[in-house]
Amino acid sequence: MVLSPSAPAAIAPSHTENRVTPTKVQWRGLIEEYRSFLPVSDATPIVTLREGNTPLIPTPSLAQQIGRGVKVYVKYDGLNPTGSFKDRGMTLAISKAKEAGDKAVICASTGNTSASASAYARRAGINAYVIVPDGYVALGKLAQALLYGAEVIAIDGNFDDCLKIVRQMSDEYPVTLVNSLNPYRLQGQKTGAFEIVDDLGEAPDWLCIPVGNAGNITAYWMGFCEYQQQGYSNRLPHMMGFQAAGAAPIIQGSPVKSPETVATAIRVGNPASWEKAIAAQEASQGQFNPVTDDEILEAYRLLASHEGVFCEPASAASVAGLLKVKDQVPDNATVVCVLTGHGLKDPDAAIKHSHNAIHTGVGSDLAEVAKVMGF
């Protein structure tokens, strides 16, 4: 509508009148939010990127596949600051390293640990050294470590060879190990269980989780137990761990010398937390099961195409495992699948394993584009 010269101009409402000042308190990071559950004191310099507080997302398509009133959620830890669950443990490990006056940290990694250690070390003003298996680290993760300023050393070997070297380095040289052998890592990672209980109001019936080096399943069980002991929940979940079939030493009962799987983040042949993971599985009356690469990739695509959640392949092992044993899920159960890393960690895998193709060679006119779209 065009106003006539004689019509009075409309008076725009003031955007400052009656404005309510936001009262929401910003999330402070895991250590501050769960300080009473963590081994820190007033003397601990808190190194944080405000990690944690990741969403617990309902997944109706997954629940529909199982049926029988089962509720399924994914704990999307790929939305941590460096894109993986590793930040939960790293904030504490690096804070304690800084408290101790350490000048350098070291880790072995298939990618996510290197990214997280590099970021938090940089935040703390500490040097970071990462040892990776040459040619077996997704480029998204390698790019992070390099840009954060870490010294990246790629060796001719697998993750287990890398871990052996960094353990020796930390024993013989002034560098602090920040792999999950560092007890502070698991202390931080247990907070994922706290958040799940906080969001649901109770522990789930099942917790499905990928298993590589086996630290995370150990940490989650620790967290659920501690929260129950303090009265925050009335029950404990069955811990359901899933290993890639080509890297399943716990299931096979012996180390795998040359582990192989498309899920590079869990490509581990001799887990550091092996015994603790078995203890968690047994105490929770849970299970370990293998999932094939085909099953992992199918779950990977399903999460993206049906739920709008883009995780890295290793994360999808938890969902692949749930679908594999879905007939065992009790009626009306609540299930949480942990998604450990963001899909952009491994963009090559997404392009290679997507069932959709890019339409190329299309002319730059409306008719051709409409034809491709089916109009």
Side-chain angles (χ1 to χ4, degrees):
M1 179 181 70
V2 179
L3 294 175
S4 68
S6 60
I11 299 175
S14 170
H15 293 293
T16 59
E17 290 179 7
N18 302 319
R19 184 174 180 178
V20 177
T21 302
T23 57
K24 182 179 179 180
V25 178
Q26 186 179 15
W27 177 263
R28 299 170 295 171
L30 294 179
I31 295 177
E32 293 298 352
E33 296 292 337
Y34 295 110
R35 178 178 278 270
S36 64
F37 288 90
L38 299 172
V40 294
S41 68
D42 292 341
T44 307
I46 307 305
V47 182
T48 181
L49 292 168
R50 302 295 175 95
E51 58 294 313
N53 197 29
T54 57
L56 188 67
I57 305 172
T59 53
S61 293
L62 286 176
Q64 187 176 22
Q65 288 201 35
I66 298 172
R68 297 180 284 108
V70 174
K71 299 182 182 69
V72 182
Y73 300 83
V74 291
K75 178 63 170 169
Y76 193 18
D77 253 4
L79 293 184
N80 273 299
T82 76
S84 87
F85 78 98
K86 303 289 187 176
D87 295 348
R88 291 186 178 277
M90 207 58 71
T91 180
L92 190 59
I94 297 296
S95 293
K96 296 300 287 188
K98 190 171 179 65
E99 180 181 3
D102 298 335
K103 302 300 181 184
V105 296
I106 192 170
C107 68
S109 183
T110 55
N112 284 328
T113 300
S114 68
S116 186
S118 302
Y120 283 84
R122 180 55 55 203
R123 186 82 172 178
I126 296 173
N127 292 326
Y129 298 89
V130 300
I131 313 297
V132 300
D134 194 8
Y136 286 95
V137 176
L139 291 180
K141 304 171 187 180
L142 193 59
Q144 287 180 278
L146 291 171
L147 201 58
Y148 291 137
E151 294 288 342
V152 179
I153 303 168
I155 69 164
D156 183 14
N158 59 30
F159 171 80
D160 302 297
D161 299 319
C162 295
L163 187 60
K164 180 179 179 180
I165 289 174
V166 298
R167 293 177 75 168
Q168 293 172 337
M169 287 292 299
S170 65
D171 287 340
E172 299 179 23
Y173 296 91
V175 290
T176 299
L177 182 66
V178 291
N179 280 99
S180 57
L181 288 163
N182 182 320
Y184 296 121
R185 280 280 310 279
L186 300 189
Q187 285 288 323
Q189 286 168 215
K190 73 184 181 184
T191 59
F194 298 166
E195 290 180 20
I196 290 172
V197 175
D198 288 343
D199 285 343
L200 291 177
E202 181 57 274
D205 296 287
W206 277 24
L207 190 285
C208 298
I209 192 165
V211 176
N213 213 26
N216 215 24
I217 189 171
T218 302
Y220 265 85
W221 179 242
M222 185 192 310
F224 284 123
C225 289
E226 289 186 14
Y227 238 36
Q228 188 208 35
Q229 290 164 5
Q230 294 298 317
Y232 289 93
S233 63
N234 297 311
R235 66 186 184 205
L236 293 169
H238 298 289
M239 303 297 287
M240 308 295 287
F242 299 99
Q243 292 192 296
I250 294 177
I251 294 164
Q252 294 180 22
S254 60
V256 176
K257 186 175 181 180
S258 299
E260 290 295 340
T261 174
V262 69
T264 56
I266 54 173
R267 184 178 174 270
V268 179
N270 191 15
S273 298
W274 188 323
E275 292 181 1
K276 293 178 181 177
I278 290 177
Q281 172 258 316
E282 291 179 344
S284 72
Q285 299 178 21
Q287 298 176 19
F288 284 109
N289 285 287
V291 282
T292 66
D293 279 4
D294 285 345
E295 290 167 335
I296 289 171
L297 291 172
E298 185 60 31
Y300 171 64
R301 289 186 290 262
L302 184 152
L303 281 165
S305 63
H306 287 71
E307 305 290 0
V309 177
F310 185 28
C311 66
E312 66 173 316
S315 295
S318 60
V319 173
L322 171 62
L323 294 176
K324 188 167 189 173
V325 298
K326 65 181 181 180
D327 292 342
Q328 298 180 36
V329 181
D331 292 354
N332 304 308
T334 297
V335 179
V336 173
C337 296
V338 179
L339 304 184
T340 48
H342 197 285
L344 290 176
K345 289 282 191 168
D346 194 353
D348 289 345
I351 294 169
K352 181 178 180 180
H353 298 292
S354 171
H355 283 166
N356 291 330
I358 299 172
H359 298 282
T360 59
V362 180
S364 57
D365 64 82
L366 180 62
E368 285 206 40
V369 173
K371 183 179 180 181
V372 171
M373 295 172 65
F375 295 116

